[in-house]
Amino acid sequence: MKLKYLIGALAVAAMTSLPASAQDDDLNPWFVQGQLGASYSVGGGAGFGEMLSPAGQLAFGKHFNPYIGARVTVGGWRGRYRIPNSTCTGFYDWHATVDGLWNIFKTFNHEYDQPVSLRLIAGVGFDRAFEKPSSSLLVRLGLSMDVRLCEALDFNLEYQANGVSDRWNGLDDHSFDTFMNLLVGVTYKFGTGYQCKSCVPEPVVQVVNKRTNEMREAQVVEKIVHDTITVVKEVPVKIAEIKREVFFPINVVTVEPDMQKNIAEVADYMKQYPDAKATVMGYADKGTGTAAINLELAEKRATTVYNELVNRYGIAASRLTKSSMTNQNTQQPYEENALNRVVIMTARM
């Protein structure tokens, strides 16, 4: 009876992991995972080394949000048992499971963005042994440590405790059998690319820096125009509009400190020219995430910058027009994908 209660509890835990909440992160990808290692068949009265055998596993799954994921696995290889008053022998087996994944570090620290993650694993499945054909329900608990190598690849170390029925090894000697797996492997995350030596791709940094330099050059030109207008007041000259961009990292909707100066410059322009109006247009790049997520990110980014102008710099809301993209496939302002995580502010007389 105790085994039935344990199986039921783990089944509920695994199934409740599957219907995840709405995605707030545009890097919650599908993934495929390959692992190899060792399996230890518990019990039997033999030495530790005699009960070790090879093990492997393939998995396919999805991270629904930064906290919860799920996967389907196929694994197995060899199990071991000891014939009473005789030697140890091995048998081939395979199993398939559905596992729920819970990111412990991210759950207890929402701002956690380090390259190491620790996940709790709970799953249920089916096991089949061959030498003495038998089938069994399998329940699993485990821990997985993932080390991010780049946006596309993780190295992982996984420990599993697997419970199966007493038929598993063909010996009727316990209420149920147990085998432990220690596996190492790699995880490939679809749709993330393979473009960086570290977690912040150097090409993206170079593109953003180039754009920042272009913005600074534009500021110099605007200052010359402004000074010329001030000196030659009697010549009617149309006041030049001002355009500034606020770039965002992936899945971020808050303004980075080094982007505040761009908002401040638009606010200064609005204060200098009281009749000026400004538009605040939000975007998200179509290279990551789904269309629904990107449209939501674009709207939130536009709202953040709009609120900065109103609340931090005192610009009247009636002088501002806020909007965001409605189609990520056609409304991408720049050719470089990384530059499209942006809010564009345009102020004019």
Side-chain angles (χ1 to χ4, degrees), residues 245-301:
E245 297 136 315
V246 179
F247 294 101
F248 295 81
I250 291 176
N251 192 45
V252 173
V253 298
T254 56
V255 177
E256 298 291 299
D258 62 341
M259 290 287 109
Q260 279 289 349
K261 62 182 179 61
N262 295 347
I263 302 177
E265 288 170 2
V266 172
D268 290 341
Y269 180 98
M270 300 287 286
K271 292 175 181 178
Q272 184 176 358
Y273 303 106
D275 294 330
K277 306 282 187 178
T279 60
V280 180
M281 182 72 177
Y283 298 89
D285 71 293
K286 68 177 181 179
T288 53
T290 65
I293 291 172
N294 288 337
L295 295 180
E296 182 180 359
L297 281 171
E299 195 280 331
K300 287 182 177 179
R301 287 166 177 164

Side-chain angles (χ1 to χ4, degrees), residues 51-73:
M51 302 300 282
L52 286 177
S53 56
Q57 180 173 276
L58 290 174
F60 180 75
K62 176 78 168 72
H63 295 301
F64 299 106
N65 58 39
Y67 318 105
I68 295 296
R71 68 181 185 182
V72 177
T73 76

Side-chain angles (χ1 to χ4, degrees), residues 85-283:
N85 302 318
S86 184
T87 59
C88 289
T89 187
F91 61 93
Y92 291 100
D93 80 318
W94 70 273
H95 50 262
T97 69
V98 176
D99 297 339
L101 309 174
W102 174 36
N103 190 327
I104 299 173
F105 287 175
K106 189 71 173 179
T107 298
F108 291 103
N109 183 358
H110 299 309
E111 302 301 322
Y112 184 84
D113 192 27
Q114 301 304 311
V116 179
S117 296
L118 183 67
R119 290 185 170 87
L120 177 68
I121 302 167
V124 294
F126 169 85
D127 185 274
R128 175 73 176 177
F130 292 104
E131 269 76 355
K132 296 182 178 180
S134 64
S135 300
S136 164
L137 180 68
L138 179 149
V139 294
R140 167 179 294 166
L141 280 176
L143 286 173
S144 174
M145 183 180 70
D146 301 312
V147 180
R148 188 168 60 213
L149 303 178
C150 67
E151 287 189 3
L153 292 175
D154 288 350
F155 168 81
N156 53 73
L157 175 65
E158 182 170 321
Y159 170 77
Q160 306 168 354
N162 300 280
V164 288
S165 75
D166 195 38
R167 297 190 301 272
W168 181 66
N169 61 12
L171 301 177
D172 187 10
D173 54 358
H174 299 90
S175 58
F176 61 91
D177 292 329
T178 307
F179 62 94
M180 311 290 186
N181 287 344
L182 184 64
L183 306 170
V184 296
V186 293
T187 301
Y188 176 75
K189 294 166 284 186
F190 294 99
T192 56
Y194 194 101
Q195 57 185 2
C196 60
K197 297 180 181 178
S198 64
C199 296
V200 178
E202 185 63 23
V204 174
V205 174
Q206 291 175 353
V207 168
V208 173
N209 287 342
K210 178 182 177 182
R211 184 60 183 170
T212 301
N213 291 334
E214 292 173 352
M215 290 167 56
R216 289 172 179 167
E217 292 173 0
Q219 292 174 21
V220 173
V221 174
E222 289 170 3
K223 187 176 186 305
I224 293 173
V225 172
H226 176 267
D227 292 345
T228 302
I229 293 171
T230 302
V231 173
V232 191
K233 292 183 179 180
E234 61 276 12
V235 179
V237 179
K238 184 178 179 180
I239 306 299
E241 70 177 28
I242 182 173
K243 179 179 178 182
R244 292 291 182 267
E245 297 136 315
V246 179
F247 294 101
F248 295 81
I250 291 176
N251 192 45
V252 173
V253 298
T254 56
V255 177
E256 298 291 299
D258 62 341
M259 290 287 109
Q260 279 289 349
K261 62 182 179 61
N262 295 347
I263 302 177
E265 288 170 2
V266 172
D268 290 341
Y269 180 98
M270 300 287 286
K271 292 175 181 178
Q272 184 176 358
Y273 303 106
D275 294 330
K277 306 282 187 178
T279 60
V280 180
M281 182 72 177
Y283 298 89

